[in-house]
Amino acid sequence: MTTSRPRIKTYDRIVEQSLALFNEHGERNITTNHIASHLGISPGNLYYHFRNKEEIVYQIFLRYHRFITERLAVPQDRSMNVGDLVNYLDTAFEAMWRFRFMFYDLPGLMARNPQLQADYHQFVNSELQTILESHFREFIRLGLLKMELEDIAPVSVNIWLVVKFWFAFEQTARPKAPITEASGHRGVRQVLALLKPYVTPEFLPAFNALQHRHAAE
Amino acid sequence: MTTSRPRIKTYDRIVEQSLALFNEHGERNITTNHIASHLGISPGNLYYHFRNKEEIVYQIFLRYHRFITERLAVPQDRSMNVGDLVNYLDTAFEAMWRFRFMFYDLPGLMARNPQLQADYHQFVNSELQTILESHFREFIRLGLLKMELEDIAPVSVNIWLVVKFWFAFEQTARPKAPITEASGHRGVRQVLALLKPYVTPEFLPAFNALQHRHAAE
């Protein structure tokens, strides 16, 4: 076990530093040579762990997947409450922000990475859609949101669409401006605007606090 | 005047047929040679009218711009009514569908065409945002929609975001499926879902008829 330790560490460092570089410069502008040089390792050492950049991107996707599914999991030992809805909305923001390079140009990223495309597709269409809709039903049952059941699917699709394309929207709307944390906060405000008509008086104080937390800087 | 006539006709045919080819195959997959061959003209004849593909794309953008601004114009000779709101929503669908190639990968298209990027940016951020928000205020004044004034801006941004990225969303969600008119109808249903919580009883019959018109095939 001891001998494999440095290998695991380098592997994780490559994934983490690649994510940071992709977020800052866009995945398209970063090569495996940039990543190796940034980490102070040889390109050969990087290729020992990853055959190409797409494999690194795919590992980042797996972390994104784990982040979302862990954070959006339904609690097993208690019923859900207002705090859970707030946490889920914060998760949307954090997932967007931590893994933001994925959302700069998702169709382009997918086109260059067929394995990512297949798994992403599977994740969003089966897992994520199911998770979002069951959460909605639970929050309606708890009286935090009030909406007709037939509206759950279109509203959760709209939420997902805004989360997914927010940074691309900002980039086409403000081509010269860099993507900052403020862009992420604007994105969450757009998601909150989608939910606002369905918020019940019981949830309103927590909802307003959430809006306030993401208010315009 | 008579001598310039055939020139104008070829010019327009190039723009129209390019739009059709881009919509069907994606702009990235169509070259000026494809366009010339499709029209049965020589590449030299095409280059007489357009220096490159970007110039054709830009002319299509100008038509898109004209289509939107003409169709969304505030009537000068009468006050607005339910029919106008229905027409505006239909315009969103028609603009998406007629010019759909622009929305397959908008960030990529912009990156390859700086003039388009600058003008599109100007159009959306100044003109379109102003038009959408003044329409919202008018429909609220007429009692067709009921919403707080502070919600107009985020809701109109969400509408624009859904319209703009719907086809890209469908392509990442169903990578194997072609973009069909049914995709456009699904997009309009998503826009209607955004408006639904704000529809007043007075507007509900017309709104339901509109939902029905775009119902799932």
Side-chain angles (χ1 to χ4, degrees):
Chain A
M1 286 303 281
T2 348
T3 52
S4 69
R5 231 164 158 200
R7 195 172 82 84
I8 291 168
K9 275 176 99 176
T10 303
Y11 185 95
D12 283 339
R13 276 180 66 221
I14 292 170
V15 174
E16 279 154 28
Q17 291 302 309
S18 298
L19 174 57
L21 289 169
F22 295 161
N23 280 341
E24 189 168 352
H25 304 287
E27 174 266 348
R28 228 189 264 243
N29 300 315
I30 294 294
T31 64
T32 47
N33 281 347
H34 290 129
I35 299 165
S37 134
H38 186 79
L39 283 160
I41 63 176
S42 69
N45 191 354
L46 188 142
Y47 284 119
Y48 172 74
H49 298 284
F50 296 96
R51 268 178 310 171
N52 50 44
K53 190 171 69 169
E54 283 62 43
E55 287 193 357
I56 304 176
V57 170
Y58 185 72
Q59 285 304 317
I60 295 175
F61 163 72
L62 292 183
R63 290 179 182 214
Y64 168 77
H65 179 279
R66 207 182 318 136
F67 179 81
I68 300 252
T69 46
E70 282 175 9
R71 293 277 298 257
L72 294 189
V74 175
Q76 296 300 313
D77 50 346
R78 56 172 179 81
S79 68
M80 289 168 86
N81 57 43
V82 176
D84 291 313
L85 182 43
V86 171
N87 279 338
Y88 293 152
L89 292 169
D90 277 340
T91 297
F93 168 73
E94 277 199 47
M96 278 169 77
W97 180 245
R98 282 200 198 184
F99 299 92
R100 59 194 175 277
F101 83 90
M102 286 176 52
F103 301 97
Y104 295 165
D105 174 20
L106 195 59
L109 190 73
M110 299 286 178
R112 294 190 296 280
N113 203 327
Q115 157 115 60
L116 177 65
Q117 180 161 63
D119 285 25
Y120 182 85
H121 174 225
Q122 158 73 14
F123 167 55
V124 171
N125 286 28
S126 323
E127 286 181 71
L128 192 64
Q129 197 61 22
T130 311
I131 295 173
L132 284 181
E133 294 186 14
S134 76
H135 283 5
F136 260 111
R137 274 193 295 276
E138 186 65 10
F139 291 126
I140 292 166
R141 203 184 59 76
L142 289 168
L144 304 178
L145 300 175
K146 184 171 160 33
M147 63 198 301
E148 291 165 44
L149 291 179
E150 66 183 33
D151 294 334
I152 294 176
V155 172
S156 58
V157 165
N158 278 337
I159 288 178
W160 184 236
L161 195 144
V162 171
V163 168
K164 189 165 162 173
F165 288 103
W166 179 251
F167 291 127
F169 181 80
E170 287 249 316
Q171 284 209 308
T172 51
R174 314 171 185 217
K176 301 272 184 300
I179 295 292
T180 62
E181 203 157 356
S183 318
H185 287 294
R186 280 192 289 273
V188 177
R189 291 206 300 278
Q190 290 303 124
V191 171
L192 294 176
L194 287 170
L195 281 180
K196 193 180 168 188
Y198 307 107
V199 169
T200 61
E202 188 192 337
F203 178 49
L204 205 57
F207 185 84
N208 287 338
L210 195 59
Q211 278 196 310
H212 190 76
R213 190 135 44 96
H214 295 286
E217 282 95 84
Chain B
M1 288 303 282
T2 347
T3 52
S4 70
R5 238 175 148 185
R7 193 171 83 84
I8 290 168
K9 276 177 98 176
T10 303
Y11 185 95
D12 283 340
R13 276 179 66 222
I14 293 170
V15 175
E16 280 155 27
Q17 291 303 311
S18 298
L19 174 57
L21 289 169
F22 295 160
N23 280 341
E24 189 167 350
H25 305 286
E27 174 265 348
R28 229 189 264 241
N29 301 315
I30 294 295
T31 65
T32 48
N33 282 346
H34 290 128
I35 298 166
S37 134
H38 186 79
L39 282 162
I41 64 176
S42 68
N45 192 352
L46 188 143
Y47 284 118
Y48 172 73
H49 298 284
F50 296 96
R51 270 178 308 172
N52 50 44
K53 190 171 70 169
E54 283 63 42
E55 286 193 357
I56 304 177
V57 170
Y58 185 72
Q59 285 304 316
I60 295 175
F61 163 72
L62 292 183
R63 290 179 182 213
Y64 167 78
H65 179 277
R66 208 183 316 135
F67 179 83
I68 299 253
T69 47
E70 282 174 8
R71 293 276 299 258
L72 294 188
V74 176
Q76 295 298 314
D77 50 347
R78 56 174 180 80
S79 68
M80 289 168 86
N81 58 43
V82 175
D84 291 313
L85 183 43
V86 172
N87 280 337
Y88 293 152
L89 292 169
D90 277 339
T91 296
F93 168 72
E94 279 200 45
M96 275 169 77
W97 179 246
R98 283 199 195 185
F99 299 91
R100 58 194 176 277
F101 84 89
M102 286 176 52
F103 301 97
Y104 293 167
D105 174 21
L106 195 59
L109 190 74
M110 298 287 176
R112 294 190 295 280
N113 202 327
Q115 157 116 61
L116 176 65
Q117 179 161 64
D119 285 25
Y120 181 86
H121 174 223
Q122 158 73 13
F123 167 56
V124 171
N125 286 28
S126 322
E127 286 181 69
L128 191 65
Q129 196 62 19
T130 311
I131 295 173
L132 284 181
E133 293 187 14
S134 76
H135 284 5
F136 260 112
R137 274 192 296 274
E138 187 64 12
F139 291 125
I140 292 166
R141 203 184 58 76
L142 290 167
L144 304 178
L145 299 176
K146 184 169 160 35
M147 64 198 300
E148 290 166 44
L149 292 179
E150 66 182 34
D151 293 333
I152 294 177
V155 172
S156 57
V157 165
N158 278 337
I159 288 179
W160 184 236
L161 196 144
V162 171
V163 167
K164 189 164 161 173
F165 288 102
W166 179 252
F167 291 126
F169 181 80
E170 287 249 315
Q171 285 209 308
T172 49
R174 313 171 185 219
K176 300 275 185 297
I179 294 292
T180 63
E181 203 155 356
S183 318
H185 286 293
R186 280 193 290 273
V188 177
R189 290 207 300 278
Q190 290 303 124
V191 171
L192 294 177
L194 285 170
L195 281 179
K196 193 179 170 189
Y198 306 107
V199 169
T200 60
E202 189 191 336
F203 179 48
L204 205 58
F207 185 84
N208 287 337
L210 194 60
Q211 277 195 311
H212 191 76
R213 189 133 49 92
H214 295 285
E217 280 94 88

